[in-house]
């Protein structure tokens, strides 16, 4: 029987570059706003961080409706990076974040290296922002719209440029829509990333068979939720043995058991996105469950289980504490 005291003594904290989070849980970009609406249903002091909705240089209206389709064990979204643009964001939104009892991570999107640099710089210089996540799943106008995250050279270029623009911790969020995620993961690490978020949504589409038309206004969208969890777990497993920096695993996490899969595969922290739409208490339940689970195993900290199911992990992360 695990006592509440034993569970309380377990260290769930995690280090991402120079940022220490009390809990290894981050709320996925685009799925939690800036936490305002969720504060009524969840205790924000008991999550690690909120990753804000991705912001671009200019305001974006997003894709044509419909933008969301329910699928078995998941959802397809094609929001199209709807956001008010960095000027409006800094003027009207960012001040509210100082009250949040958890870390705040700004998410940057763009269509050119210059745009990533400008938005990174402007967000990162604000004291309310603890770290920057680069959402590199955007088309690069300089290379005929090829997604940054799908091209190792473009990933390297954008990460190096953003690295030079801020000394705050830099997380690079990788796309699963690539042939070999380890190639991109290594490029991001060499270019100066402090951590990798693995994975963003998986490309997909759905067709309305009555109307013989794509269901999403944008035709293609990103699949998230439990349907993508096995894809995400494998991506984390592979990336974790390719790089030494921490991995924030995400994709379909909705329970303690889901979260454990990611830690055991080699994630030092987890992201929770779609599950928040149906149950905002999922992140708190996972944190409680993790503490009890670890105490029950006689573990003192979350780092003791990171990479345990990954046979190549120990070779890369040779000494204790390296993973967290
Ligand atoms: C409606 C919606 C909007 C999203 N918007 C963003 C975004 O703006 N930037 C980003 O990096 N990821 C975005 N994501 C991806 C999530 O942050 C997360 O990485 C992904 O959905 C996988 O995790 P999940 O299955 O727990 O949702 C979005 C996902 C959803 C469902």
């Amino acid at each position: 029987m695990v006592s509440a005291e034993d569970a309380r003594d377990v260290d769930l904290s995690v280090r991402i570059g120079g940022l220490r989070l009390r809990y290894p849980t981050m709320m996925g970009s685009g799925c939690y706003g800036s936490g305002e609406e969720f504060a009524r249903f969840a205790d924000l002091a008991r999550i690690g961080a909120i990753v804000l909705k991705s912001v671009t240089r200019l305001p974006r209206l997003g894709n044509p409706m419909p933008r969301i389709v329910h699928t078995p064990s998941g959802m397809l979204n094609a929001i199209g990076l709807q956001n008010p643009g960095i000027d409006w964001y800094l003027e009207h939104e960012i001040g509210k974040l100082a009250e949040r009892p958890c870390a705040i991570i700004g998410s940057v999107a763009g269509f050119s290296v210059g745009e990533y640099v400008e938005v990174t710089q402007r967000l990162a210089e604000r004291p309310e922002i603890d770290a920057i996540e680069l959402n590199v799943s955007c088309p690069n106008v300089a290379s005929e719209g090829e997604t940054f995250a799908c091209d190792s050279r473009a990933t390297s270029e954008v990460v190096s440029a953003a690295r030079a623009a801020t000394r705050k911790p830099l997380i690079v969020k990788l796309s699963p829509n690539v042939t070999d995620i380890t190639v991109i993961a290594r490029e991001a690490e060499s270019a100066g990333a402090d951590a990798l978020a693995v994975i963003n949504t998986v490309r997909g589409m759905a067709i309305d068979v009555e109307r013989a038309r794509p269901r999403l206004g944008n035709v293609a969208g990103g699949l998230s939720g439990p349907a993508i969890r096995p894809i995400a777990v494998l991506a984390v497993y592979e990336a974790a043995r390719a790089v030494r920096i921490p991995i924030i695993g995400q994709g379909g996490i909705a329970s303690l058991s889901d979260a454990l899969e990611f830690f055991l595969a080699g994630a030092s922290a987890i992201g929770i996105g779609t599950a928040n739409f149906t149950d905002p208490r999922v992140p708190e339940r996972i944190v409680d469950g993790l503490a009890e689970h670890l105490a029950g195993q006689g573990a003192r900290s979350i780092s003791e289980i990171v990479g345990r199911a990954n046979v190549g992990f120990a070779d890369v992360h040779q000494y204790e504490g390296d993973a967290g």
Side-chain angles (χ1 to χ4, degrees):
M1 184 68 183
V2 178
S3 75
E5 224 165 75
D6 289 343
R8 253 198 316 272
D9 285 346
V10 175
D11 179 9
L12 293 179
S13 72
V14 61
R15 197 162 33 81
I16 305 292
L19 176 66
R20 188 141 205 110
L21 304 179
R22 263 183 86 193
Y23 301 107
T25 46
M26 301 194 188
M27 304 306 108
S29 175
C31 302
Y32 215 75
S34 59
E36 198 168 356
E37 293 84 357
F38 282 88
R40 284 189 290 149
F41 309 108
D43 183 358
L44 302 190
R46 304 204 56 248
I47 62 174
I50 297 171
V51 185
L52 303 172
K53 173 75 186 165
S54 296
V55 63
T56 50
R57 180 192 280 151
L58 298 176
R60 287 176 56 84
L61 289 172
N63 286 325
M65 303 286 176
R67 296 170 171 187
I68 298 275
V69 172
H70 293 277
T71 64
S73 295
M75 65 183 265
L76 273 169
N77 91 81
I79 307 296
L81 290 174
Q82 180 184 350
N83 80 92
I86 188 70
D87 288 342
W88 198 95
Y89 202 81
L90 292 181
E91 201 172 321
H92 300 281
E93 286 284 328
I94 208 147
K96 300 178 201 162
L97 301 176
E99 306 152 13
R100 302 283 183 271
C102 57
I104 298 289
I105 301 178
S107 170
V108 176
F111 301 87
S112 68
V113 172
E115 183 175 357
Y116 276 102
V117 169
E118 180 187 330
V119 180
T120 296
Q121 213 158 30
R122 293 186 63 196
L123 260 185
E125 68 192 20
R126 295 295 303 238
E128 298 87 348
I129 299 292
D130 297 301
I132 295 289
E133 183 170 281
L134 291 184
N135 171 7
V136 283
S137 296
C138 298
N140 179 1
V141 289
S143 64
E144 295 171 349
E146 189 180 6
T147 308
F148 280 94
C150 297
D151 175 24
S152 56
R153 190 130 37 107
T155 300
S156 173
E157 208 186 330
V158 75
V159 176
S160 310
R163 175 71 292 168
T166 182
R167 295 174 68 169
K168 286 195 173 163
L170 186 65
I171 302 165
V172 179
K173 186 166 183 179
L174 303 188
S175 165
N177 306 308
V178 293
T179 312
D180 182 355
I181 202 160
T182 64
V183 175
I184 313 284
R186 284 197 195 95
E187 286 295 342
E189 179 181 45
S190 327
D194 291 306
L196 303 177
V198 178
I199 54 176
N200 211 319
T201 54
V202 178
R203 266 165 64 78
M205 80 177 284
I207 292 179
D208 180 335
V209 294
E210 299 299 326
R211 292 169 49 245
R213 291 275 181 282
R215 282 189 185 270
L216 288 169
N218 186 54
V219 178
L223 185 62
S224 64
I228 69 168
R229 198 169 58 245
I231 298 171
V233 172
L234 178 61
V236 167
Y237 187 91
E238 291 184 337
R241 48 210 275 174
V243 298
R244 291 172 56 90
I245 51 179
I247 301 222
I248 302 140
Q250 57 201 280
I253 298 176
S255 70
L256 170 64
S257 158
D258 300 342
L260 286 171
E261 280 198 68
F262 281 83
F263 288 113
L264 293 169
S268 300
I270 53 166
I272 302 164
T274 303
N276 283 305
F277 295 137
T278 46
D279 185 353
R281 294 250 161 81
V282 162
E284 277 168 69
R285 272 206 298 276
I286 289 178
V287 159
D288 290 343
L290 267 178
E292 264 179 47
H293 174 84
L294 292 167
Q297 298 219 326
R300 295 219 190 100
S301 84
I302 184 76
S303 62
E304 289 182 42
I305 64 161
V306 170
R308 268 254 201 103
N310 191 331
V311 286
F313 189 80
D315 299 338
V316 181
H317 305 262
Q318 281 155 9
Y319 37 87
E320 215 183 329
D322 195 32

